[in-house]
């Protein structure tokens, strides 16, 4: 009998279990919002990326329903064949206007936007420099491109400069890749410094605005607006799936860049266009995000309150807990080890709080990760603070 060629999978799974790395899905049984029903229990939601609370908004839902009735459920093909509707172009135009760029292109997810754009912009004659904490889609985009890849220390412009000095001249093109808001820590990249260095060393920059779009800048367009870099912007990518409450990703930039991507990004050319429902929901979410700055204000109000109060709660009672520095709706309470973070996650769940217990290897240090929403009410914040207090006093 020849050996079962799939037997290795059983062994690999056993190893995953032994290392405590096994993950499982958990079903939410209600509409998106600050309170959800999870495994038969109502939970206050501090785990979602729906920062502005638009995924359950009646207007985004109505837009998705109307588009489905008009066009059907699927886009039925790739954008260059049968998958293109006027809706897609409207969405791309709305993104470009918001970002103050000449044009934009919408991919079927943010992950695909990064894979496609990075691979189109660089190849094995080029070098990519990326922050060590970059999102998986940036890392894999860099791999797919075949370019030489080097990482620099997290948010460290001085180290980036050293790497540019060391490697830039050995390669044809150089692309610097960074998250603008880091998804597992919530801090910001030093974008103005990165742009200065890029100019000095003739490097392209692509910034991943997944957790910044809808949240940073006066109009909510992201950190490029926040740092007033719109006159000489980096290539801006982002997702429609977080504050914009839908599904899909985008790249915004010059008309030539976008036209080039339409011709050279395989993850755009050879995949099915965004569904009419997703496209219409994102378009509506952008309109709301722009027209209702009070949502952003409510979000920042909540972020500031939670940050201040958690700091007040933990510092006098528990030196082993630490709120990691954050400039965003992503707040992380660092804990000494994986065991205590799992236990704390359980305590939260028992108290009706849904938050992520994040452990190595996803992140270097174990932590509870809370994401704040514009639609969290005072009573939701109070419940979280009471739960943190109980964890801190254990
Ligand atoms: C979520 C995320 C993505 C991927 O976006 P999707 O639209 O969910 O595929 C890319 N980059 C960062 C930093 C993210 O957090």
């Amino acid at each position: 009998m020849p050996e079962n060629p799939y037997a290795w999978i059983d062994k690999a799974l056993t190893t995953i279990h032994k290392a405590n790395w096994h993950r499982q899905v958990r079903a939410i049984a209600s509409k998106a919002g600050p309170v959800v029903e999870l495994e038969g229990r109502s939970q206050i939601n501090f785990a979602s990326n729906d920062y502005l609370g638009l995924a359950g908004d009646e207007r985004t839902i109505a837009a998705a329903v109307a588009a489905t009735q008009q066009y059907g459920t699927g886009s039925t093909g790739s954008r260059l064949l049968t998958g293109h509707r006027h809706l897609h172009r409207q969405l791309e135009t709305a993104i470009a206007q918001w970002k103050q760029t000449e044009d934009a292109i919408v991919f079927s997810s943010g992950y695909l936007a990064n894979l496609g754009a990075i691979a189109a912009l660089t190849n094995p004659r080029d070098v990519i420099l990326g922050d060590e904490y970059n999102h998986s889609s940036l890392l894999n985009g860099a791999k797919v491109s075949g370019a030489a890849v080097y990482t620099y220390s997290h948010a460290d412009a001085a180290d980036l400069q050293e790497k540019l000095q060391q490697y830039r001249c050995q390669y044809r093109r150089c692309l610097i890749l960074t998250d603008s808001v880091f998804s597992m820590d919530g801090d910001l990249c030093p974008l103005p410094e990165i742009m200065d260095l890029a100019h000095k060393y003739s490097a392209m920059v692509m910034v991943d605005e997944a957790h910044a779009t809808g949240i940073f800048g006066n109009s909510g367009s992201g950190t490029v607006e926040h740092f007033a870099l719109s006159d000489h912007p980096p290539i801006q990518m982002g997702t429609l799936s977080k504050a914009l409450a839908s599904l899909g990703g985008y790249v915004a930039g010059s008309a030539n860049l976008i036209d080039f991507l339409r011709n050279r990004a395989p993850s755009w050319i050879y995949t099915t266009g965004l569904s009419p429902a997703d496209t219409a929901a994102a378009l509506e979410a952008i309109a709301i995000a722009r027209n209702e700055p009070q949502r952003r204000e409510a979000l920042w109000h909540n972020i500031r309150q939670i940050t201040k109060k958690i700091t007040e709660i933990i510092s006098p009672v528990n030196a082993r807990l630490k709120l990691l520095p954050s400039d965003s709706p992503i707040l992380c309470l660092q804990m000494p080890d994986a065991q205590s973070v799992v236990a704390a996650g359980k305590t939260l769940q028992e108290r009706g709080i849904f938050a992520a217990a994040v452990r190595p290897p996803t992140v270097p240090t174990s932590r509870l990760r809370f994401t704040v929403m514009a639609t969290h009410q005072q009573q939701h914040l109070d419940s979280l603070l009471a739960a943190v207090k109980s964890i801190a006093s254990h």
Side-chain angles (χ1 to χ4, degrees):
M1 268 284 276
E3 197 188 331
N4 173 357
Y6 303 101
W8 67 271
I9 295 175
D10 303 354
K11 282 190 203 141
L13 258 181
T14 308
T15 308
I16 291 171
H17 277 289
K18 272 192 190 144
N20 262 319
W21 287 356
H22 189 254
R23 308 166 200 225
Q24 264 177 316
V25 297
R26 297 161 76 194
I28 289 178
S30 58
K31 197 197 254 187
V35 178
V36 290
E37 194 190 315
L38 181 70
E39 289 161 356
R41 255 202 82 174
S42 169
Q43 299 266 331
I44 307 171
N45 188 2
F46 286 96
S48 124
N49 298 321
D50 181 22
Y51 300 115
L52 297 176
L54 296 178
D57 190 281
E58 307 220 328
R59 294 164 292 179
T60 48
I61 294 171
V65 170
T68 303
Q69 274 164 349
Q70 184 172 359
Y71 295 110
T73 48
S75 74
T76 77
S78 67
R79 289 283 297 283
L80 292 168
L81 287 170
T82 61
H84 181 71
R85 309 283 175 277
H86 285 309
L87 261 186
H88 292 107
R89 198 57 204 147
Q90 280 172 358
L91 176 57
E92 289 169 340
T93 305
I95 292 168
Q97 275 175 359
W98 198 21
K99 300 267 172 185
Q100 296 182 42
T101 56
E102 288 174 355
D103 205 354
I105 178 173
V106 168
F107 289 73
S108 299
S109 80
Y111 210 109
L112 288 174
N114 274 333
L115 288 185
I118 297 166
L121 291 168
T122 51
N123 68 33
R125 290 168 64 191
D126 306 321
V127 63
I128 290 175
L129 300 177
D131 188 288
E132 63 176 326
Y133 286 3
N134 273 351
H135 189 260
S136 154
S137 53
L138 291 170
L139 303 180
N140 280 316
K143 258 188 217 164
V144 168
S145 76
V149 183
Y150 300 97
T151 54
Y152 57 89
S153 305
H154 176 53
D156 186 342
D159 192 40
L160 170 60
Q161 174 155 27
E162 260 175 49
K163 299 283 167 11
L164 281 163
Q165 188 70 35
Q166 190 174 356
Y167 299 115
R168 174 67 189 97
C169 63
Q170 302 172 27
Y171 297 91
R172 180 185 57 175
R173 296 194 281 260
C174 175
L175 174 63
I176 300 169
L177 291 177
T178 182
D179 288 16
S180 60
V181 173
F182 287 89
S183 55
M184 285 299 140
D185 293 71
D187 55 344
L188 288 180
C189 76
L191 194 55
E193 288 88 343
I194 291 172
M195 295 308 293
D196 285 346
L197 287 171
H199 179 71
K200 195 167 155 198
Y201 288 89
S202 179
M204 304 178 283
V205 181
M206 186 161 100
V207 65
D208 181 334
E209 296 265 58
H211 294 277
T213 305
I215 296 156
F216 283 86
N218 266 340
S219 81
S221 76
T223 60
V224 173
E225 182 187 13
H226 170 78
F227 285 120
L229 297 167
S230 302
D231 284 345
H232 300 282
I235 298 170
Q236 299 164 71
M237 75 72 57
T239 175
L240 307 172
S241 66
K242 288 171 179 147
L244 299 180
S246 179
L247 186 66
Y250 65 82
V251 176
S254 73
N256 279 347
L257 167 74
I258 302 308
D259 200 26
F260 174 77
L261 292 179
R262 275 195 290 264
N263 287 278
R264 278 286 187 275
S267 68
W268 185 82
I269 300 170
Y270 301 106
T271 198
T272 303
L274 209 57
S275 79
D278 290 322
T279 312
L283 192 56
E284 181 65 24
I286 290 175
I288 299 172
R290 294 192 70 168
N291 295 335
E292 297 183 357
Q294 62 270 27
R295 285 182 176 270
R296 236 173 337 277
E297 281 154 27
L299 175 64
W300 282 107
H301 175 86
N302 288 347
I303 295 167
R304 279 191 283 269
Q305 186 191 152
I306 290 273
T307 306
K308 179 165 172 277
K309 292 194 173 156
I310 290 186
T311 311
E312 285 167 7
I313 289 170
I314 59 172
S315 40
V317 285
N318 197 329
R320 286 157 28 103
L321 303 184
K322 184 178 152 207
L323 195 62
L324 297 180
S326 163
D327 312 285
S328 75
I330 301 164
L331 301 176
C332 292
L333 188 59
Q334 184 176 285
M335 311 202 72
D337 49 57
Q339 217 176 341
S340 40
V341 87
V342 171
K346 251 202 182 127
T347 305
L348 288 179
Q349 203 182 340
E350 282 158 15
R351 289 174 145 261
I353 306 256
F354 182 22
V358 198
R359 288 161 285 167
T362 307
V363 287
T365 56
S366 295
R367 67 201 61 182
L368 290 174
R369 179 179 180 273
F370 308 111
T371 51
V372 184
M373 295 172 69
T375 45
H376 279 136
Q377 305 296 308
Q378 189 59 46
Q379 73 202 69
H380 302 144
L381 306 186
D382 291 343
S383 300
L384 173 64
L385 293 167
V388 168
K389 203 170 206 167
S390 133
I391 290 166
S393 58
H394 270 110

